[in-house]
Amino acid sequence: MPALACFVDAAAAVLPPPSGYALAGDSTLPPPLTFTTATTDGVDDDSDSASNWSPSLSSKLFKIDGWGFPYFGVNNAGDIAVRPHGAATMSHQEIDLLKVVKKASDPKCCGGLGLQLPLVVRFPDVLKNRLESIQGAFDGAIQLQGYESHYQGVYPVKCNQDRFVVEDIVEFGSGFRFGLEAGSKPELLLAMSCLCKGNREAFLICNGFKDSEYISLALVARKLALNTVIVLEQEEELDMVVEISNKLCIRPVIGVRAKLRTKHSGHFGSTSGDKGKFGLTTIQILRVVKKLEQLDMLDCLQLLHFHIGSQIPTTELLADGVGEAAQIYCELLRLGAQMRVLDIGGGLGIDYDGSKSGDSDISVAYGIEEYAAAVVHAVKYVCDRRNVNHPVICSESGRAIVSHHSVLIFEAIGASSNKAPSLSSIGLQYLGEGLSEEALVDYQNISAATLRGEHEACLLYTDQFKKCCVEQFKQGTLGIEQLAAVDGLCDLITETIGAKDLVKKYHMNLSVFTSIPDFWSIDQLFPIVPIHRLDEKPTARGILSDLTCDSDGKIDKFIGGESSLPLHELEGHGGGYYLGMFLGGAYEEALGGLHNLFGGPSVVRVLQSDGPHGFAVTRAVSGPSCADVLRVMQHEPQLMFETLKHRALEFCEQHDDDSVVNAAGLANSLARSFDNMPYLVSSTTCCLNALTNNDGFYYCSGDDFSAADSASVVTSVAGEDEHWNYCCA
């Protein structure tokens, strides 16, 4: 890198010297001092050169072994590997995530599915493993501690209401009576429908605010032989339950949600404590018991529910809350209620950053086994002391069930360059034109500070010089060529000294508001990692900027307290640059909005297969089209298209002899715009019509996987007669 003084010296050669000042090029001055340029490496640890970089170093850099275990790792090719069966996954069963993305996004003419990014990749095998892990942890704790009842969980569908996610949970959990929890009428309807195919003993827990229609639905569900429990969130709900159950002649099973004194102080604990939004105080619980006793319905009260908040950080806090609830359970039994279930609610947290910290909203200081052991011990301890039979333990773990099974993939479409221009490209010839006397003085001060080797003074004078020139430009006394030359020279000085911000802005084909709303709304952090090129050393640092026009449409906070992310340079590499957001399977899809009318992502459902590719895509759904998102906002795409088509015909008739042909071409182009997704089309797409010219169906055919493997996968999931299709508007 040339000396900074040489930069200033070259510029000085074109400036007219003001009276009383010596230029940097004046031969009477001492030789210029050399300022070295700051490093631009994106990785803080310079001990590992690019030539010695390895996938294991990337795994360490991005903390993948912390937050990703046991489902995600880095393979020898430098790609993210998905381990669908957790720790039991054998090496040949690992799924290369980049290959899944290529299969989904490559055009159909190239053997892909022609889906546009962003893309959600679901792994039902991971979902199954999470369910089995939670059930196994409780079964193990129950056996080890001599607990005399069983565990029977439910999935709160609010975490992810996707049809196939809920149906998978019911199917995978059928063997151990895993049920569902609903908090609204639509959720109750979908839960009723799904549980018709589930275990008849599985719970259907009805939470949330209720009106007469909600309660009627819940009672009808009981009439349909679903194991339904109506949990009272407000004392007033009891009167409706009694009245409607009498009218329908259906004996209800009732639960009460208790407001515990135990409080979770973190961000997710706002619903806990005696001032929480939901639940009954001890006074209200006693009134409910008395009223049921008067109505000869006290036998209907069978479940106690509580919830001290999501992401419970420690087992100590968990055990404290469970112990308090167990005391209330025993008291209800003493008062004559026929209690049999203790529902501990949600709260089983996941470690988003791999730190295993009990002092963070994005981490927890325990694993699933420790969680289950703490719950079982706390309940058993209280019940044994009170000489009460052990209740069925129910939990409503949602985040812990679905977070890992879903990965959001998005593509970097460009990056802002923070590199200063070369000296030859600055246009130094313009610097001597129109500068004010004040600006020339600032320049001379820059020159002098450079020769003295005074970095801070040089930066101060550079800032003053630039401000002075900007003010001249605003007043109209400096042209844009001069201002550009000033900007270039100042950037070059700043970079050479090492004071320039080296963090790049990577532009992502994504809407943060739609796909990662919790980051924008509550500063929830998710691990974000390049899904490939992890055998290369990242040489840049960047923040992620989305497609929306809002300044909040960016990701500038990352796990580990980082304000930027190690990334690879985009230049000089063929193909796209793909990043994945992990552990986002809970809440993000349901919470996402339509900012700038960017709709949701495309979705593929991927099962592990023993065929040559290692996986089978059993379902692929294109994301909402422009027409779809317009309909949500009450626009009528068909009428809009007809209006534009009519305008095209009018225009072509006025300006072109071959009006019919040109109007048809414009209409076809407009139709494609309505049919395509709102996101940018990747430059790597090799067939322009891949998204529009298709039959709307994709099969796991022998062209993609071995016939035996694909047939077994499709049959096991959906039955041999069902077509797996994606929507094409």
Side-chain angles (χ1 to χ4, degrees):
M1 169 65 73
L4 175 60
C6 294
F7 298 157
V8 182
D9 185 48
V14 300
L15 291 171
S19 175
Y21 291 93
L23 295 179
D26 192 320
S27 60
T28 61
L29 294 176
L33 301 177
T34 300
F35 290 175
T36 57
T37 305
T39 179
T40 60
D41 277 352
V43 180
D44 295 331
D45 184 5
D46 291 328
S47 62
D48 299 303
S49 66
S51 59
N52 294 327
W53 197 256
S54 67
S56 62
L57 290 174
S58 285
S59 183
K60 179 181 178 181
L61 176 66
F62 292 105
K63 303 177 176 62
I64 296 173
D65 290 339
W67 56 260
F69 181 82
Y71 300 107
F72 305 104
V74 184
N75 61 25
N76 292 332
D79 301 337
I80 291 290
V82 181
R83 298 165 184 152
H85 310 297
T89 306
M90 293 182 284
S91 58
H92 73 277
Q93 295 175 319
E94 291 187 354
I95 299 172
D96 190 315
L97 188 54
L98 180 64
K99 292 182 179 179
V100 175
V101 173
K102 290 293 188 182
K103 180 65 182 178
S105 61
D106 280 352
K108 295 191 74 176
C109 62
C110 300
L113 303 182
L115 296 180
Q116 194 173 339
L117 270 61
L119 175 74
V120 165
V121 184
R122 299 197 198 284
F123 295 96
D125 293 316
V126 172
L127 199 61
K128 184 173 186 287
N129 184 266
R130 293 300 291 176
L131 280 170
E132 292 172 345
S133 297
I134 293 173
Q135 184 70 39
F138 273 98
D139 288 347
I142 285 170
Q143 182 177 4
L144 183 64
Q145 298 185 36
Y147 192 82
E148 295 176 355
S149 188
H150 67 275
Y151 168 76
Q152 195 171 328
V154 298
Y155 167 65
V157 297
K158 68 179 181 181
C159 288
N160 192 323
Q161 299 98 337
D162 180 84
R163 169 191 166 189
F164 297 97
V165 171
V166 180
E167 288 183 352
D168 280 344
I169 288 172
V170 171
E171 178 187 347
F172 298 152
S174 180
F176 34 84
R177 299 168 289 195
F178 214 91
L180 300 175
E181 181 268 347
S184 68
K185 285 180 280 190
E187 289 184 351
L188 180 53
L189 286 168
L190 75 87
M192 291 168 61
S193 174
C194 290
L195 283 175
C196 285
K197 301 177 182 178
N199 192 307
R200 292 175 69 92
E201 296 181 42
F203 289 129
L204 172 52
I205 304 293
C206 301
N207 289 333
F209 286 107
K210 303 171 188 68
D211 60 8
S212 58
E213 185 178 12
Y214 185 118
I215 292 170
S216 297
L217 273 174
L219 290 168
V220 167
R222 186 145 195 89
K223 186 73 170 179
L224 298 177
L226 298 176
N227 191 7
T228 310
V229 182
I230 301 174
V231 179
L232 304 180
E233 304 273 8
Q234 307 292 322
E235 186 180 357
E236 298 78 16
E237 294 171 356
L238 177 59
D239 293 332
M240 287 191 290
V241 172
V242 171
E243 179 184 356
I244 297 171
S245 64
N246 287 335
K247 287 181 179 179
L248 297 178
C249 299
I250 301 172
R251 192 77 169 171
V253 173
I254 298 173
V256 292
R257 176 168 176 172
K259 286 184 178 180
L260 301 187
R261 267 65 170 186
T262 304
K263 184 170 175 59
H264 172 6
S265 60
H267 171 82
F268 296 103
S270 60
T271 57
S272 63
D274 55 3
K275 303 295 184 183
K277 177 179 179 182
F278 293 109
L280 280 64
T281 64
T282 52
I283 294 174
Q284 292 173 317
I285 290 174
L286 286 173
R287 286 203 294 257
V288 166
V289 170
K290 188 173 184 65
K291 183 174 289 188
L292 288 172
E293 186 177 27
Q294 291 171 348
L295 295 169
D296 196 25
M297 295 179 64
L298 194 52
D299 62 302
C300 296
L301 182 55
Q302 300 181 16
L303 178 145
L304 177 69
H305 171 45
F306 72 93
H307 178 62
I308 60 174
S310 186
Q311 282 287 108
I312 297 174
T314 65
T315 53
E316 290 77 16
L317 175 62
L318 171 69
D320 191 22
V322 172
E324 181 186 350
Q327 293 288 358
I328 299 175
Y329 178 91
C330 293
E331 285 297 296
L332 289 173
L333 272 171
R334 182 180 65 81
L335 293 172
Q338 300 299 303
M339 304 298 292
R340 65 183 189 92
V341 182
L342 179 60
D343 181 350
I344 65 173
L348 172 54
I350 64 171
D351 194 352
Y352 287 98
D353 63 2
S355 65
K356 295 179 172 56
S357 169
D359 300 318
S360 169
D361 284 332
I362 62 170
S363 184
V364 290
Y366 56 82
I368 296 177
E369 290 79 8
E370 295 164 286
Y371 176 90
V375 170
V376 172
H377 179 268
V379 177
K380 183 176 186 296
Y381 177 78
V382 172
C383 291
D384 287 350
R385 290 187 65 191
R386 299 290 299 270
N387 197 27
V388 166
N389 291 335
H390 299 163
V392 174
I393 296 175
C394 176
S395 73
E396 301 178 3
S397 300
R399 187 188 302 266
I401 291 175
V402 297
S403 291
H404 298 77
H405 95 286
S406 173
V407 183
L408 173 67
I409 307 295
F410 47 95
E411 183 180 10
I413 55 177
S416 60
S417 176
N418 289 322
K419 186 173 179 59
S422 64
L423 189 64
S424 60
S425 67
I426 288 177
L428 294 175
Q429 68 272 20
Y430 294 109
L431 278 176
E433 302 176 11
L435 291 182
S436 66
E437 190 76 12
E438 183 182 358
L440 291 172
V441 170
D442 287 329
Y443 175 80
Q444 298 306 316
N445 287 331
I446 294 172
S447 177
T450 300
L451 294 173
R452 293 194 299 269
E454 298 173 350
H455 290 224
E456 292 186 7
C458 186
L459 287 174
L460 175 64
Y461 293 131
T462 299
D463 185 57
Q464 290 181 184
F465 176 57
K466 188 170 184 176
K467 287 180 178 178
C468 183
C469 294
V470 169
E471 192 60 34
Q472 271 194 261
F473 179 77
K474 290 180 179 179
Q475 294 172 359
T477 60
L478 198 68
I480 193 171
E481 297 91 345
Q482 287 77 24
L483 185 62
V486 168
D487 285 339
L489 182 63
C490 291
D491 285 348
L492 192 56
I493 293 171
T494 303
E495 182 179 277
T496 305
I497 290 176
K500 189 174 178 64
D501 183 9
L502 299 177
V503 176
K504 291 186 175 183
K505 185 178 293 183
Y506 280 65
H507 305 292
M508 314 308 299
N509 196 7
L510 180 77
S511 166
V512 169
F513 303 92
T514 297
S515 294
I516 320 178
D518 272 346
F519 174 82
W520 167 72
S521 60
I522 61 173
D523 289 329
Q524 170 72 44
L525 300 185
F526 298 93
I528 297 176
V529 179
I531 67 167
H532 60 139
R533 295 178 60 184
L534 296 174
D535 54 345
E536 305 173 28
K537 181 179 181 179
T539 56
R541 297 198 72 94
I543 64 172
L544 309 180
S545 176
D546 75 358
L547 296 179
T548 70
C549 61
D550 198 297
S551 59
D552 286 340
K554 63 182 178 182
I555 303 174
D556 55 2
K557 297 175 185 175
F558 303 90
I559 63 171
E562 299 291 333
S563 58
S564 61
L565 189 68
L567 294 168
H568 303 86
E569 297 286 356
L570 301 183
E571 298 83 4
H573 292 272
Y577 186 54
Y578 303 104
L579 288 91
M581 185 203 80
F582 296 80
L583 310 187
Y587 298 108
E588 300 313 288
E589 295 171 50
L591 291 175
L594 286 175
H595 189 276
N596 271 164
L597 294 187
F598 286 110
S602 302
V603 180
V604 292
R605 188 174 184 271
V606 177
L607 286 176
Q608 185 265 322
S609 168
D610 291 332
H613 294 270
F615 66 91
V617 179
T618 59
R619 184 171 179 83
V621 183
S622 178
S625 67
C626 292
D628 293 331
V629 296
L630 285 166
R631 288 188 193 97
V632 174
M633 304 307 292
Q634 309 304 313
H635 296 279
E636 299 185 38
Q638 184 61 40
L639 294 179
M640 295 166 67
F641 172 70
E642 293 296 333
T643 299
L644 292 170
K645 185 174 71 170
H646 181 70
R647 182 62 175 267
L649 184 58
E650 285 184 340
F651 178 82
C652 291
E653 286 177 345
Q654 294 173 8
H655 296 87
D656 198 297
D657 292 335
D658 199 0
S659 59
V660 175
V661 174
N662 286 334
L666 285 173
N668 287 335
S669 177
L670 288 167
R672 283 195 295 270
S673 295
F674 277 103
D675 285 346
N676 287 342
M677 286 177 67
Y679 294 94
L680 305 185
V681 177
S682 171
S683 59
T684 59
T685 301
C686 65
C687 292
L688 294 177
N689 294 326
L691 292 175
T692 55
N693 294 341
N694 57 66
D695 57 10
F697 291 92
Y698 169 69
Y699 303 92
C700 283
S701 66
D703 296 335
D704 303 308
F705 313 101
S706 69
D709 288 332
S710 63
S712 63
V713 169
V714 173
T715 301
S716 66
V717 176
E720 58 188 24
D721 293 328
E722 182 165 355
H723 297 296
W724 297 99
N725 68 294
Y726 65 89
C727 305
C728 182

